Amino acid sequence: DVLANARIVGSMAEALEGCHFAAAVSARLREFSPPVWTPRAFAGHAAGQQGLRAAVVFGNERFGLPNHIVEQCNVLINIPANPDYSSLNLAQAAQVVGYECRMATEAGTAQPPSAIGFHGDAASVAEIEGMFVHLEKALVAIDFLDAGNPKKLMPRLKRLFSRTQLETEEVNILRGIARQILRSRA
C-alpha cells in the first residue's frame, strides 16, 4: 500500500509542495547548512506541532544530498554514529529516523510548545523559497548584493532564517518589505 500510494515527482520543489517543515538527512556537515538536529530532536518537533506537514529528505547512497537541496530544508538531521563509520546506508538512516518519529508519537516525547504565545501557521517550504527569491532581487536592487558575485550572502541568510521557523505571516511581511524596496527602485 505504501508503494501504491507513492507519488513520483520531477523536482525537489514538487516533492516539498504543501510541506511546512523539511529536514535533510546527511552524515556530511556543511558550512552553510541549516541548523543541525538529531533524529530525536526532529521527531520531537514534528510530533509536537499540531498539523505540521513535515518532510524528511534522504539522498542516494552513493552521493548523498547536494548542497542546494540541503539549503532548501529547515534543518539538517545528522545521525550520531561512530566517526570512523559515520555514513549509514539509506535503509539504516530511514529506519533510525522512522523509529525516532514513532517513539516521539507513542511516548509523548514531543517538545512542549514555545513560550512566545500565539503561533501562526508554519510557512511552507515553497513560501519560504519564494521569499528568498524576492529578497535576493531586493538586495540586488539596493546594491547590497552583487548578482554577478553573490559570494555566500544568500546561503547565510537562509541559514539565519531557518533557525526561526518562519510563519506564513512573517514570510508575507518580509516579502512586503522586498516589494516596497523594488517599487522604490523602479
Side-chain angles (χ1 to χ4, degrees):
D1 66 321
V2 173
L3 290 178
N5 291 316
R7 186 170 56 103
I8 308 297
V9 296
S11 70
M12 186 54 59
E14 278 183 87
L16 296 177
E17 191 173 293
C19 292
H20 300 104
F21 196 83
V25 179
S26 180
R28 187 168 52 90
L29 301 177
R30 283 126 166 114
E31 182 180 3
F32 295 108
S33 78
V36 179
W37 288 9
T38 64
R40 188 162 295 163
F42 167 77
H45 177 78
Q49 304 292 316
Q50 191 72 19
L52 180 69
R53 290 197 49 161
V56 180
V57 181
F58 296 93
N60 72 40
E61 290 186 15
R62 191 168 197 193
F63 302 109
L65 287 172
N67 289 338
H68 74 278
I69 298 288
V70 173
E71 290 172 0
Q72 293 178 49
C73 296
N74 301 91
V75 297
L76 174 67
I77 296 175
N78 185 262
I79 300 170
N82 180 335
D84 295 334
Y85 306 99
S86 63
S87 184
L88 304 178
N89 72 33
L90 179 58
Q92 292 168 326
Q95 189 168 13
V96 168
V97 173
Y99 172 80
E100 290 294 349
C101 288
R102 179 70 177 162
M103 294 307 295
T105 58
E106 288 294 310
T109 59
Q111 294 178 347
S114 168
I116 64 168
F118 173 79
H119 286 275
D121 294 331
S124 72
V125 172
E127 289 171 326
I128 293 170
E129 193 57 37
M131 177 203 70
F132 282 123
V133 169
H134 208 166
L135 182 60
E136 184 173 6
K137 288 178 185 175
L139 294 173
V140 168
I142 62 171
D143 295 323
F144 188 82
L145 174 66
D146 178 1
N149 187 20
K151 299 188 180 171
K152 298 177 181 178
L153 178 64
M154 291 313 293
R156 283 190 170 122
L157 286 174
K158 287 181 177 189
R159 184 177 63 178
L160 173 111
F161 281 113
S162 69
R163 292 192 301 261
T164 67
Q165 300 177 26
L166 289 166
E167 297 174 359
T168 298
E169 188 59 32
E170 294 164 338
V171 167
N172 291 338
I173 290 167
L174 292 167
R175 289 195 78 163
I177 293 168
R179 187 181 319 79
Q180 192 60 35
I181 290 169
L182 291 169
R183 273 191 199 145
S184 71
R185 294 295 180 171

